[in-house]
Amino acid sequence: KQGVVADVVRLWRADLLLRQYRLNEASSLLAAFPNPSSYPLAELLRARLAVVRGAGDEALNHYERVRESGADEDGLRFEAAVALATTGQDEAADRAFSRLTSSGSRLATPYYAAAEHALADDRGDEGEAFFRAAWRLQPISRELLFRDPLLASLCTRQGLFPLFQFGSMEEPRAGEAVPGAEALALPAAVTATLTGNLLRLVVGDAEVRVPGGGRLAPPGAVVDSPAAFARRERDEAIAQLPALRDQTTSAGALAQPALQRRLELAAEGLAEQERWGDLLSLTAPLSSYAGRLPPELTQLRAAALIHDDKPRDAFELLVRLAQDDKLHGRRDTGTLYQLADALRREQRYELAVKVLHRANQISGLSAGAARERQVRMEQRLAEAHQQLATRYFHIRFPKVTGAQYAQQLAVVLEEERQRLARWIPLRDPKPIEVDLYPVEEFLSSYSQEMPVVGIFDGRVRVPFADLRSLHPQLVAILSHELAHALITQATGDHAPKWVQEGLAQHVEMVQQVANPFPDLAKAGHELSLVVVEQALGGFSEPQFVEVSYAEAAWAFHYLEAAHGVEGIHRLLAGYGQGKGEAAALQAAIGMDAAGLDDALRAWARERAPQSWPSKLRRYDEEAERLLLTRPNESAPAKLAASSDRFHGGAQLPAAMAAWHAQYLQWAKPVKAAYGPVLAYVHGETRGADPTGACRRLSDAATAALASPQRFEAPDRRLTRPLLLAFTSLRDLGLACGRAEDAVARAQSAKTQQLLGEAAAVLAVYGLRP
């Protein structure tokens, strides 16, 4: 007996050391036991230690020994399956999940995993059967359903569609009758809830979960929706944040599967609430963790680092995770896609394409191959483009476009920005980046799965480079993407997707979406607004997306019809102030999302027109005038008589020469300070102390910027790039003075590009910047 007690104490200490991430000490204690050991706990701890170290084969052996010892139950098998998947043992993980389904497990996750595998192998009916089994045990939220590309494909199957109740704002509450057939008698302090057939019993901070426990549900048990269950899990994890921080002061906490899951739930909730500082604090042990990084936590930390303006740290963390995956044979494409996006943001296109290619080899997703083409397309434009900068727009285009068409588009953009201000007012508009791509190249990259004729992903990207047309349908595409950019600025990028897509369609001059609600109501295929939001943000089938776009557009037709443009203004302002959807809607129109959904349907079915009226402007009939209009400010309704409104007027060269003579005088201190700083940044004077030169440059540029009217050249095409160049020179001096060499090099490259654009305008007059 004394020997057994001593062994138990040693195993308890080994478990504690593993939690504290003292791996070598834990390994030494476990080495005192025979291998294999007669103690299942010793083999379980050896398996967890192997998982932390990324030794998948070793972990598999130890999990098998635990099972063979008789300590075999669903929880253990599930832990083994998840652990094996994280260490790259895909076939072993598949077998572990298969054992769970074939033995009639009461856990839902293995059946969802089996459904995914069947769908990936084009065994749709089998996938549907596994999904039904999982749904009966524990239904998942619509959000999770649309987030998974394989499971999302089941949404339109005739046999499953009624399960999801997509026409309702509330999610289906698929639970057994309450009380159950063998209802438990529980103390009053215990709270019982059902989600599907999963029974949860909670008292204080303690919880017991009974998979398949619906028949045990006591009287008064609450039947939860899947979304409420998921939200409660996240909220409870966040409520335990102080305790979680105490338990995760050491990276060893990541070796405990249950604790790691609680950390993931808390991190998901913090990201949802945009509490990036708390998320960074919670995941701080990852930086000192030498084992296999947990993908979900690592990716959430990377997202928090980006929001904290630390993209380099995020990039390095993702690189490490990808290297971990490669070293241990793990096939996690999510990491690679996130890494590729980080590389693209830093304009490291070649490496981004290589990473995407590797991810696509693993996943086989056609959308991944399209992403490769998109990055290549962006790279070609970044490496060889011309630019036209106006007050509110920076337009990049290939040589084939020509300056004439770019100027016409610039004026159209300015006019459309002014028109859209009726619905999307901005107090302090920021310049919008616009990229023009050849039409065939764009469509082959973006329209493989669904017809995409323009996108906004921080930049407006449209396939107009070689079209040279201002047809109303093309202008509608341009104004649609412009609306996205303006909505993003107006709301601080907090507008939900139904608002983005609905308002962008609402303001188009060419209205192509007929009222869908009467037909959808007859067929029983209406989607509630909450489903529209989830479908637009997930991996939806094309018909789901088409219906969601149409309903979002008519939601805004209703808002203007019932509450005027002022209602739309109030809604955007609410999102811009950081209000959640419920508060933003209440402040804007005096109802919540459910109330809006009901009011929209009643109006659209009974009182709405079949199509929404709009006033068309034919820019294609104004092409000649657009060429004569200055593109750096909105064109007038009629041409002004004054000749200085046109580029190339007879008086312009003389006016430019006079302005340039003054420019050379006030810019002289900046140009004198720029040379030494440029030499230092390019490595020509390493070893010298650049502090004085850097300070002189930042001071001189700051002094020049104090008089912005100086930059107002007679040819207004020069004003924007020159003003931005001097701003960049100031930032270059500041970065150089702080010894931030990487930032200084980036600012130097930006300065030279802007000066190049200014030089192109000045060259017309035989002048130089």
Side-chain angles (χ1 to χ4, degrees):
K1 289 183 179 179
Q2 289 179 344
V4 171
V5 171
D7 286 345
V8 169
V9 170
R10 278 195 290 269
L11 289 171
W12 176 80
R13 288 186 59 201
D15 186 27
L16 183 61
L17 290 168
L18 190 58
R19 290 172 183 267
Q20 295 174 345
Y21 203 53
R22 295 159 65 180
L23 305 185
N24 291 335
E25 295 175 65
S27 181
S28 296
L29 274 178
L30 291 173
F33 295 90
N35 192 1
S37 172
S38 58
Y39 291 112
L41 181 56
E43 294 300 321
L44 178 61
L45 292 176
R46 282 172 173 156
R48 290 178 176 175
L49 181 62
V51 170
V52 173
R53 289 175 167 170
D57 290 334
E58 185 180 344
L60 174 59
N61 289 334
H62 291 303
Y63 276 121
E64 284 296 317
R65 289 173 184 172
V66 177
R67 190 177 66 85
E68 290 166 359
S69 72
D72 185 13
E73 44 85 33
D74 279 4
L76 176 67
R77 289 192 179 194
F78 182 67
E79 177 186 324
V82 172
L84 293 169
T86 62
T87 56
Q89 300 291 309
D90 292 336
E91 291 185 7
D94 289 347
R95 287 196 301 272
F97 279 124
S98 295
R99 284 176 182 165
L100 283 162
T101 57
S102 61
S103 65
S105 173
R106 290 176 290 119
L107 296 172
T109 302
Y111 296 95
Y112 284 120
E116 288 182 308
H117 292 151
L119 292 166
D121 292 338
D122 292 324
R123 294 178 281 119
D125 291 343
E126 189 177 338
E128 180 176 334
F130 278 123
F131 184 89
R132 283 184 178 279
W135 185 268
R136 283 193 296 269
L137 289 167
Q138 185 183 347
I140 58 173
S141 67
R142 293 165 177 166
E143 180 185 9
L144 289 177
L145 181 66
F146 284 117
R147 191 188 298 175
D148 188 305
L150 291 170
L151 296 184
S153 67
L154 294 169
C155 291
T156 56
R157 291 183 73 93
Q158 188 173 358
L160 292 178
F161 186 85
L163 281 180
F164 309 122
Q165 301 176 25
F166 285 134
S168 172
M169 290 289 286
E170 293 291 329
E171 291 203 337
R173 298 173 183 268
E176 296 273 340
V178 178
E182 301 175 19
L184 295 174
L186 298 173
V190 177
T191 300
T193 61
L194 269 176
T195 306
N197 226 352
L198 173 68
L199 175 65
R200 292 178 76 224
L201 304 174
V202 179
V203 56
D205 293 333
E207 175 184 338
V208 174
R209 293 191 181 186
V210 188
R215 63 190 300 111
L216 304 177
V222 176
V223 179
D224 254 348
S225 70
F229 173 80
R231 185 167 55 250
R232 181 178 286 114
E233 277 200 311
R234 292 194 294 268
D235 290 346
E236 288 172 354
I238 291 175
Q240 296 167 3
L241 208 54
L244 282 175
R245 285 200 183 102
D246 290 343
Q247 295 176 66
T248 55
T249 53
S250 162
L254 302 175
Q256 305 301 313
L259 182 54
Q260 184 176 316
R261 179 56 186 152
R262 288 167 61 203
L263 287 170
E264 289 171 349
L265 288 169
E268 289 170 7
L270 292 171
E272 187 179 63
Q273 297 175 17
E274 298 187 359
R275 293 169 57 181
W276 305 114
D278 286 333
L279 178 51
L280 287 173
S281 174
L282 181 67
T283 58
L286 287 173
S287 59
S288 61
Y289 187 51
R292 276 280 296 114
L293 288 170
E296 185 172 354
L297 276 177
T298 305
Q299 291 163 7
L300 286 168
R301 179 170 177 81
L305 287 167
I306 290 171
H307 280 279
D308 200 39
D309 202 22
K310 295 176 181 176
R312 170 56 54 179
D313 292 348
F315 170 72
E316 291 174 352
L317 185 64
L318 290 169
V319 167
R320 185 182 153 202
L321 179 57
Q323 289 172 338
D324 266 359
D325 290 343
K326 184 177 180 180
L327 177 64
H328 299 293
R330 189 174 186 278
R331 299 163 63 86
D332 182 8
T333 56
T335 301
L336 296 176
Y337 287 127
Q338 191 177 7
L339 175 58
D341 194 53
L343 288 166
R344 182 190 63 81
R345 282 196 300 271
E346 295 200 357
Q347 298 189 23
R348 298 175 65 176
Y349 297 110
E350 288 293 341
L351 189 52
V353 168
K354 288 181 180 178
V355 172
L356 280 170
H357 187 68
R358 172 60 180 156
N360 296 333
Q361 285 180 322
I362 295 172
S363 71
L365 292 174
S366 59
R371 188 64 182 136
E372 277 190 65
R373 293 192 293 272
Q374 292 161 20
V375 173
R376 283 290 190 200
M377 185 177 70
E378 185 176 342
Q379 178 184 16
R380 284 190 288 272
L381 185 63
E383 292 176 348
H385 69 268
Q386 296 176 311
Q387 181 159 315
L388 176 62
T390 75
R391 182 178 179 185
Y392 294 112
F393 298 96
H394 297 163
I395 306 172
R396 297 195 309 177
F397 53 94
K399 186 177 180 180
V400 67
T401 303
Q404 177 173 308
Y405 183 55
Q407 178 178 326
Q408 290 174 323
L409 280 183
V411 179
V412 171
L413 281 164
E414 295 284 0
E415 291 276 327
E416 285 297 285
R417 184 195 63 80
Q418 191 173 57
R419 182 180 71 85
L420 298 187
R422 176 172 180 262
W423 295 275
I424 317 168
L426 294 177
R427 291 185 178 179
D428 183 24
K430 304 293 190 301
I432 295 169
E433 307 285 344
V434 180
D435 288 351
L436 309 184
Y437 296 99
V439 60
E440 184 176 353
E441 186 178 20
F442 183 94
L443 295 179
S444 68
S445 298
Y446 282 102
S447 297
Q448 294 298 302
E449 301 293 326
M450 294 186 61
V452 175
V453 290
I455 63 168
F456 174 71
D457 58 0
R459 305 178 74 93
V460 170
R461 304 178 193 270
V462 287
F464 293 177
D466 50 352
L467 287 178
R468 291 187 285 279
S469 170
L470 299 176
H471 188 278
Q473 287 186 326
L474 297 181
V475 174
I477 294 169
L478 192 66
S479 60
H480 180 103
E481 304 308 331
L482 172 58
H484 282 312
L486 296 175
I487 295 166
T488 298
Q489 288 193 25
T491 64
D493 200 18
H494 286 119
K497 291 178 176 57
W498 74 267
V499 170
Q500 277 278 5
E501 297 301 343
L503 183 51
Q505 292 175 92
H506 177 67
V507 299
E508 289 180 17
M509 281 191 290
V510 180
Q511 294 289 328
Q512 303 185 60
V513 181
N515 182 357
F517 282 91
D519 290 339
L520 290 173
K522 290 177 185 176
H525 289 167
E526 282 180 313
L527 306 180
S528 65
L529 276 179
V530 69
V531 175
V532 167
E533 175 68 14
Q534 291 156 348
L536 290 175
F539 294 93
S540 306
E541 293 294 285
Q543 57 264 49
F544 257 76
V545 176
E546 184 179 350
V547 172
S548 296
Y549 268 92
E551 289 197 10
W554 281 82
F556 271 87
H557 297 341
Y558 163 75
L559 284 172
E560 180 166 339
H563 301 278
V565 292
E566 295 81 8
I568 296 175
H569 294 175
R570 292 192 296 270
L571 183 62
L572 296 179
Y575 289 120
Q577 293 162 9
K579 294 178 180 177
E581 178 154 281
L585 283 170
Q586 192 65 44
I589 59 175
M591 61 180 71
D592 59 12
L596 171 60
D597 193 66
D598 290 340
L600 164 62
R601 292 192 200 196
W603 174 80
R605 290 171 183 168
E606 301 165 9
R607 300 187 301 280
Q610 182 60 27
S611 61
W612 185 255
S614 62
K615 186 177 180 181
L616 181 64
R617 177 175 176 180
R618 296 300 301 254
Y619 286 103
D620 51 344
E621 296 175 357
E622 303 177 38
E624 295 287 333
R625 184 183 70 77
L626 298 179
L627 284 175
L628 300 176
T629 306
R630 291 189 311 185
N632 60 305
E633 60 184 47
S634 293
K638 296 181 179 180
L639 287 178
S642 175
S643 63
D644 69 355
R645 288 204 63 81
F646 314 113
H647 292 315
Q651 301 172 0
L652 197 53
M656 283 296 296
W659 174 88
H660 187 256
Q662 295 180 347
Y663 160 79
L664 292 177
Q665 292 302 313
W666 59 259
K668 190 173 182 179
V670 180
K671 297 175 73 174
Y674 180 42
V677 174
L678 189 63
Y680 172 78
V681 169
H682 288 177
E684 299 170 8
T685 56
R686 290 297 182 200
D689 183 3
T691 306
C694 297
R695 184 176 63 252
R696 287 192 293 274
L697 176 60
S698 61
D699 290 345
T702 300
L705 291 167
S707 303
Q709 70 277 6
R710 290 173 166 176
F711 295 86
E712 295 179 0
D715 188 337
R716 295 297 178 87
R717 294 177 298 173
L718 179 63
T719 302
R720 190 74 191 174
L722 195 62
L723 184 61
L724 290 174
F726 273 65
T727 303
S728 186
L729 284 166
R730 178 200 62 196
D731 296 340
L732 168 60
L734 293 171
C736 167
R738 294 193 295 262
E740 296 174 349
D741 291 350
V743 177
R745 284 193 295 272
Q747 286 297 336
S748 176
K750 182 178 180 181
T751 298
Q752 291 181 58
Q753 178 184 342
L754 291 165
L755 289 174
E757 293 169 19
V761 178
L762 288 169
V764 175
Y765 308 99
L767 306 172
R768 298 177 61 184

